[in-house]
Amino acid sequence: MTGAATAAEGDSAMAPSSTARVVTGSDDALFGHIEKSQVVSGKPFGDFLDSGTGSHSLRWISSLASLDENHPLYMSRYTAVTADENMRRNVQIEAEKLGIQDRGEIVIGNWAEGFDLEEEGKRTTIVKGEGRHLCRGELFDTILCDYLIGAVDGFSPFYQDRIFPRLVTHLRPAGRMYVVGLNPIPDTVDGAANVFCKITKLRDACILLAGHRCYREYPPDWIERHLKLAGLNVVSQSRFPIMYSFNTIVRQLNVARSKLRLFPSEGLANEMRKSIDSLEGEAKEAIEKSPTGRLRLGFDYVITAELPVESGEGAEKGLSKLSIDG
């Protein structure tokens, strides 16, 4: 999932330029890893759910849409979900440019709406406001959670512990779920990369002062615990170190700058602008001193999970376990 507040814009996986379209597994280390894992499983992607879509993941999906049904990574159809109307419009335009609009659908909606969990672990449909039960009755062979968990707090605060039980109701037995995430940036680290820690705190402060919500990333061990509670077997976890370029760092500072006009006072905005400019200078100096021209900090991860074949009622079991242990 793409969002202005995310810090998951490092260079562990090469993001495409604004003029790029199709993204393949050879272009992106994380998607490339997912492709290799799927080949090893011996199953095609089949019916594919992008549970928190964005332009980048859709460009990868477009590469799968070009494969014929005999290819080991064949994708029969896709559903791409976003909770943001602007993102939906952007992704719809992207799908049309990519020529894949007829291979699937792009849906606007929130996973927290139209669905709830009772204490007994049973499912019930509860429509909230104008929301609807997303993907009602639909099952998928593959579900992608591309930075979805980190973005949940921006759209459905405190729903993180329920997102996997919600999604697993749409996963076929033996189906796979791929969770892509960013390990939380620490408050401080030793060395030059500490400037990025300071930048993320300043960026988040600007987001909050503008009256918006920050994203909240989760570590892989938290993800694995909650995948298991949802009735899934964790197959593997892989980590990808992040090397931050100056351009990547400036993008985070520009997120902070974009919030200044929404501050409660001009004086506060002016003082924060000075802090942003100061940190940009500090980051530039750190990058110039780095032998690689980048700052290494943290990692992205891909966790592969699978719904047991024998668990035709795996979703219900996951919900019951959550109600008991959660």
mmCIF file of all heavy atoms in Angstrom, residues 208-235:
data_model
loop_
_atom_site.group_PDB
_atom_site.id
_atom_site.type_symbol
_atom_site.label_atom_id
_atom_site.label_comp_id
_atom_site.label_asym_id
_atom_site.label_seq_id
_atom_site.Cartn_x
_atom_site.Cartn_y
_atom_site.Cartn_z
ATOM 1 N N LEU A 208 1.126 14.643 12.564
ATOM 2 C CA LEU A 208 0.213 14.773 13.692
ATOM 3 C C LEU A 208 -0.234 16.215 13.900
ATOM 4 O O LEU A 208 -1.415 16.475 14.177
ATOM 5 C CB LEU A 208 0.886 14.236 14.952
ATOM 6 C CG LEU A 208 1.142 12.720 14.977
ATOM 7 C CD1 LEU A 208 2.021 12.357 16.163
ATOM 8 C CD2 LEU A 208 -0.176 11.949 15.034
ATOM 9 N N LEU A 209 0.683 17.162 13.761
ATOM 10 C CA LEU A 209 0.328 18.571 13.939
ATOM 11 C C LEU A 209 -0.611 19.065 12.842
ATOM 12 O O LEU A 209 -1.337 20.044 13.030
ATOM 13 C CB LEU A 209 1.597 19.431 13.975
ATOM 14 C CG LEU A 209 2.401 19.347 15.281
ATOM 15 C CD1 LEU A 209 3.774 19.979 15.105
ATOM 16 C CD2 LEU A 209 1.638 20.013 16.414
ATOM 17 N N ALA A 210 -0.599 18.365 11.707
ATOM 18 C CA ALA A 210 -1.524 18.705 10.620
ATOM 19 C C ALA A 210 -2.894 18.068 10.815
ATOM 20 O O ALA A 210 -3.807 18.281 10.017
ATOM 21 C CB ALA A 210 -0.935 18.260 9.283
ATOM 22 N N GLY A 211 -3.037 17.280 11.896
ATOM 23 C CA GLY A 211 -4.319 16.645 12.176
ATOM 24 C C GLY A 211 -4.530 15.331 11.452
ATOM 25 O O GLY A 211 -5.668 14.846 11.360
ATOM 26 N N HIS A 212 -3.456 14.743 10.935
ATOM 27 C CA HIS A 212 -3.552 13.474 10.217
ATOM 28 C C HIS A 212 -2.964 12.339 11.061
ATOM 29 O O HIS A 212 -2.307 12.583 12.076
ATOM 30 C CB HIS A 212 -2.817 13.567 8.876
ATOM 31 C CG HIS A 212 -3.401 14.587 7.957
ATOM 32 N ND1 HIS A 212 -2.707 15.132 6.899
ATOM 33 C CD2 HIS A 212 -4.629 15.186 7.944
ATOM 34 C CE1 HIS A 212 -3.468 16.001 6.264
ATOM 35 N NE2 HIS A 212 -4.642 16.046 6.887
ATOM 36 N N ARG A 213 -3.191 11.110 10.622
ATOM 37 C CA ARG A 213 -2.688 9.949 11.344
ATOM 38 C C ARG A 213 -1.432 9.406 10.657
ATOM 39 O O ARG A 213 -1.348 9.379 9.431
ATOM 40 C CB ARG A 213 -3.736 8.829 11.407
ATOM 41 C CG ARG A 213 -4.971 9.192 12.212
ATOM 42 C CD ARG A 213 -5.822 7.958 12.444
ATOM 43 N NE ARG A 213 -5.125 6.994 13.297
ATOM 44 C CZ ARG A 213 -5.177 6.998 14.621
ATOM 45 N NH1 ARG A 213 -5.889 7.933 15.258
ATOM 46 N NH2 ARG A 213 -4.543 6.083 15.325
ATOM 47 N N CYS A 214 -0.491 8.962 11.466
ATOM 48 C CA CYS A 214 0.726 8.344 10.943
ATOM 49 C C CYS A 214 0.473 6.866 10.674
ATOM 50 O O CYS A 214 -0.406 6.249 11.267
ATOM 51 C CB CYS A 214 1.872 8.458 11.951
ATOM 52 S SG CYS A 214 2.295 10.143 12.415
ATOM 53 N N TYR A 215 1.285 6.306 9.790
ATOM 54 C CA TYR A 215 1.315 4.857 9.647
ATOM 55 C C TYR A 215 2.085 4.285 10.834
ATOM 56 O O TYR A 215 2.888 4.960 11.466
ATOM 57 C CB TYR A 215 1.998 4.458 8.342
ATOM 58 C CG TYR A 215 1.158 4.688 7.104
ATOM 59 C CD1 TYR A 215 -0.062 5.336 7.154
ATOM 60 C CD2 TYR A 215 1.617 4.249 5.870
ATOM 61 C CE1 TYR A 215 -0.817 5.540 6.018
ATOM 62 C CE2 TYR A 215 0.871 4.445 4.720
ATOM 63 C CZ TYR A 215 -0.349 5.088 4.799
ATOM 64 O OH TYR A 215 -1.086 5.283 3.667
ATOM 65 N N ARG A 216 1.835 3.012 11.124
ATOM 66 C CA ARG A 216 2.537 2.355 12.224
ATOM 67 C C ARG A 216 3.015 0.992 11.752
ATOM 68 O O ARG A 216 2.201 0.102 11.494
ATOM 69 C CB ARG A 216 1.625 2.200 13.439
ATOM 70 C CG ARG A 216 2.332 1.565 14.637
ATOM 71 C CD ARG A 216 1.408 1.447 15.832
ATOM 72 N NE ARG A 216 2.106 0.902 16.993
ATOM 73 C CZ ARG A 216 1.534 0.649 18.153
ATOM 74 N NH1 ARG A 216 0.249 0.911 18.316
ATOM 75 N NH2 ARG A 216 2.239 0.145 19.149
ATOM 76 N N GLU A 217 4.316 0.851 11.609
ATOM 77 C CA GLU A 217 4.884 -0.402 11.136
ATOM 78 C C GLU A 217 5.003 -1.405 12.272
ATOM 79 O O GLU A 217 5.063 -1.040 13.454
ATOM 80 C CB GLU A 217 6.265 -0.151 10.519
ATOM 81 C CG GLU A 217 6.279 0.908 9.420
ATOM 82 C CD GLU A 217 5.472 0.530 8.194
ATOM 83 O OE1 GLU A 217 5.183 -0.686 8.017
ATOM 84 O OE2 GLU A 217 5.124 1.427 7.407
ATOM 85 N N TYR A 218 5.057 -2.692 11.906
ATOM 86 C CA TYR A 218 5.160 -3.769 12.885
ATOM 87 C C TYR A 218 6.327 -4.689 12.528
ATOM 88 O O TYR A 218 6.584 -4.947 11.357
ATOM 89 C CB TYR A 218 3.857 -4.578 12.930
ATOM 90 C CG TYR A 218 2.754 -3.842 13.641
ATOM 91 C CD1 TYR A 218 2.022 -2.850 12.987
ATOM 92 C CD2 TYR A 218 2.466 -4.101 14.977
ATOM 93 C CE1 TYR A 218 1.031 -2.147 13.644
ATOM 94 C CE2 TYR A 218 1.463 -3.411 15.638
ATOM 95 C CZ TYR A 218 0.749 -2.430 14.971
ATOM 96 O OH TYR A 218 -0.233 -1.730 15.626
ATOM 97 N N PRO A 219 7.014 -5.216 13.550
ATOM 98 C CA PRO A 219 8.156 -6.100 13.285
ATOM 99 C C PRO A 219 7.688 -7.471 12.815
ATOM 100 O O PRO A 219 6.529 -7.856 13.044
ATOM 101 C CB PRO A 219 8.854 -6.182 14.647
ATOM 102 C CG PRO A 219 7.758 -5.941 15.638
ATOM 103 C CD PRO A 219 6.814 -4.968 14.983
ATOM 104 N N PRO A 220 8.567 -8.234 12.185
ATOM 105 C CA PRO A 220 8.164 -9.536 11.635
ATOM 106 C C PRO A 220 7.683 -10.532 12.670
ATOM 107 O O PRO A 220 6.817 -11.356 12.373
ATOM 108 C CB PRO A 220 9.429 -10.024 10.908
ATOM 109 C CG PRO A 220 10.548 -9.193 11.442
ATOM 110 C CD PRO A 220 9.949 -7.889 11.817
ATOM 111 N N ASP A 221 8.215 -10.488 13.902
ATOM 112 C CA ASP A 221 7.759 -11.455 14.895
ATOM 113 C C ASP A 221 6.301 -11.204 15.282
ATOM 114 O O ASP A 221 5.543 -12.150 15.544
ATOM 115 C CB ASP A 221 8.661 -11.454 16.129
ATOM 116 C CG ASP A 221 8.713 -10.111 16.837
ATOM 117 O OD1 ASP A 221 8.558 -9.077 16.167
ATOM 118 O OD2 ASP A 221 8.915 -10.094 18.065
ATOM 119 N N TRP A 222 5.870 -9.929 15.306
ATOM 120 C CA TRP A 222 4.461 -9.599 15.552
ATOM 121 C C TRP A 222 3.596 -10.153 14.427
ATOM 122 O O TRP A 222 2.526 -10.738 14.671
ATOM 123 C CB TRP A 222 4.286 -8.080 15.661
ATOM 124 C CG TRP A 222 2.920 -7.617 16.090
ATOM 125 C CD1 TRP A 222 2.530 -7.261 17.351
ATOM 126 C CD2 TRP A 222 1.755 -7.446 15.260
ATOM 127 N NE1 TRP A 222 1.212 -6.884 17.351
ATOM 128 C CE2 TRP A 222 0.704 -6.990 16.084
ATOM 129 C CE3 TRP A 222 1.504 -7.632 13.901
ATOM 130 C CZ2 TRP A 222 -0.575 -6.724 15.600
ATOM 131 C CZ3 TRP A 222 0.226 -7.389 13.407
ATOM 132 C CH2 TRP A 222 -0.798 -6.936 14.255
ATOM 133 N N ILE A 223 4.055 -9.965 13.193
ATOM 134 C CA ILE A 223 3.313 -10.459 12.028
ATOM 135 C C ILE A 223 3.155 -11.978 12.104
ATOM 136 O O ILE A 223 2.060 -12.513 11.905
ATOM 137 C CB ILE A 223 4.031 -10.068 10.721
ATOM 138 C CG1 ILE A 223 4.122 -8.537 10.580
ATOM 139 C CG2 ILE A 223 3.324 -10.687 9.515
ATOM 140 C CD1 ILE A 223 2.804 -7.836 10.404
ATOM 141 N N GLU A 224 4.236 -12.680 12.397
ATOM 142 C CA GLU A 224 4.176 -14.143 12.445
ATOM 143 C C GLU A 224 3.212 -14.625 13.532
ATOM 144 O O GLU A 224 2.447 -15.575 13.316
ATOM 145 C CB GLU A 224 5.576 -14.723 12.664
ATOM 146 C CG GLU A 224 6.483 -14.573 11.455
ATOM 147 C CD GLU A 224 7.706 -15.464 11.537
ATOM 148 O OE1 GLU A 224 7.834 -16.217 12.531
ATOM 149 O OE2 GLU A 224 8.536 -15.422 10.609
ATOM 150 N N ARG A 225 3.241 -13.983 14.693
ATOM 151 C CA ARG A 225 2.330 -14.382 15.780
ATOM 152 C C ARG A 225 0.875 -14.277 15.339
ATOM 153 O O ARG A 225 0.059 -15.168 15.610
ATOM 154 C CB ARG A 225 2.553 -13.512 17.023
ATOM 155 C CG ARG A 225 3.817 -13.800 17.782
ATOM 156 C CD ARG A 225 3.738 -13.242 19.199
ATOM 157 N NE ARG A 225 3.399 -11.839 19.261
ATOM 158 C CZ ARG A 225 4.280 -10.847 19.204
ATOM 159 N NH1 ARG A 225 5.569 -11.116 19.057
ATOM 160 N NH2 ARG A 225 3.883 -9.586 19.298
ATOM 161 N N HIS A 226 0.548 -13.186 14.668
ATOM 162 C CA HIS A 226 -0.848 -12.954 14.303
ATOM 163 C C HIS A 226 -1.270 -13.760 13.077
ATOM 164 O O HIS A 226 -2.460 -14.071 12.926
ATOM 165 C CB HIS A 226 -1.096 -11.456 14.114
ATOM 166 C CG HIS A 226 -1.167 -10.723 15.423
ATOM 167 N ND1 HIS A 226 -0.053 -10.400 16.147
ATOM 168 C CD2 HIS A 226 -2.229 -10.300 16.154
ATOM 169 C CE1 HIS A 226 -0.408 -9.789 17.262
ATOM 170 N NE2 HIS A 226 -1.720 -9.729 17.294
ATOM 171 N N LEU A 227 -0.337 -14.105 12.215
ATOM 172 C CA LEU A 227 -0.659 -15.031 11.123
ATOM 173 C C LEU A 227 -1.040 -16.391 11.694
ATOM 174 O O LEU A 227 -2.010 -17.022 11.250
ATOM 175 C CB LEU A 227 0.535 -15.173 10.175
ATOM 176 C CG LEU A 227 0.817 -13.978 9.253
ATOM 177 C CD1 LEU A 227 2.178 -14.148 8.576
ATOM 178 C CD2 LEU A 227 -0.279 -13.818 8.204
ATOM 179 N N LYS A 228 -0.295 -16.849 12.691
ATOM 180 C CA LYS A 228 -0.586 -18.141 13.321
ATOM 181 C C LYS A 228 -1.927 -18.104 14.049
ATOM 182 O O LYS A 228 -2.698 -19.073 14.006
ATOM 183 C CB LYS A 228 0.542 -18.514 14.278
ATOM 184 C CG LYS A 228 1.862 -18.825 13.570
ATOM 185 C CD LYS A 228 3.003 -19.022 14.560
ATOM 186 C CE LYS A 228 4.318 -19.271 13.849
ATOM 187 N NZ LYS A 228 5.461 -19.384 14.802
ATOM 188 N N LEU A 229 -2.231 -16.998 14.716
ATOM 189 C CA LEU A 229 -3.519 -16.866 15.396
ATOM 190 C C LEU A 229 -4.680 -16.917 14.416
ATOM 191 O O LEU A 229 -5.791 -17.321 14.776
ATOM 192 C CB LEU A 229 -3.568 -15.553 16.184
ATOM 193 C CG LEU A 229 -2.763 -15.509 17.488
ATOM 194 C CD1 LEU A 229 -2.741 -14.090 18.044
ATOM 195 C CD2 LEU A 229 -3.336 -16.473 18.513
ATOM 196 N N ALA A 230 -4.434 -16.521 13.179
ATOM 197 C CA ALA A 230 -5.474 -16.534 12.147
ATOM 198 C C ALA A 230 -5.607 -17.904 11.489
ATOM 199 O O ALA A 230 -6.388 -18.072 10.559
ATOM 200 C CB ALA A 230 -5.179 -15.470 11.093
ATOM 201 N N GLY A 231 -4.838 -18.892 11.958
ATOM 202 C CA GLY A 231 -4.951 -20.240 11.426
ATOM 203 C C GLY A 231 -4.017 -20.560 10.284
ATOM 204 O O GLY A 231 -4.176 -21.588 9.612
ATOM 205 N N LEU A 232 -3.021 -19.695 10.039
ATOM 206 C CA LEU A 232 -2.081 -19.892 8.941
ATOM 207 C C LEU A 232 -0.781 -20.512 9.430
ATOM 208 O O LEU A 232 -0.370 -20.293 10.579
ATOM 209 C CB LEU A 232 -1.771 -18.552 8.271
ATOM 210 C CG LEU A 232 -2.950 -17.902 7.529
ATOM 211 C CD1 LEU A 232 -2.725 -16.406 7.412
ATOM 212 C CD2 LEU A 232 -3.128 -18.529 6.165
ATOM 213 N N ASN A 233 -0.147 -21.273 8.568
ATOM 214 C CA ASN A 233 1.190 -21.782 8.837
ATOM 215 C C ASN A 233 2.216 -20.842 8.222
ATOM 216 O O ASN A 233 2.099 -20.490 7.038
ATOM 217 C CB ASN A 233 1.379 -23.180 8.242
ATOM 218 C CG ASN A 233 0.535 -24.225 8.932
ATOM 219 O OD1 ASN A 233 0.201 -24.087 10.113
ATOM 220 N ND2 ASN A 233 0.168 -25.277 8.218
ATOM 221 N N VAL A 234 3.196 -20.426 8.999
ATOM 222 C CA VAL A 234 4.259 -19.569 8.467
ATOM 223 C C VAL A 234 5.268 -20.454 7.747
ATOM 224 O O VAL A 234 5.840 -21.377 8.333
ATOM 225 C CB VAL A 234 4.941 -18.761 9.586
ATOM 226 C CG1 VAL A 234 6.134 -17.985 9.034
ATOM 227 C CG2 VAL A 234 3.933 -17.801 10.221
ATOM 228 N N VAL A 235 5.479 -20.168 6.468
ATOM 229 C CA VAL A 235 6.377 -20.965 5.627
ATOM 230 C C VAL A 235 7.800 -20.436 5.688
ATOM 231 O O VAL A 235 8.765 -21.198 5.825
ATOM 232 C CB VAL A 235 5.881 -20.985 4.169
ATOM 233 C CG1 VAL A 235 6.867 -21.726 3.267
ATOM 234 C CG2 VAL A 235 4.490 -21.606 4.087
#
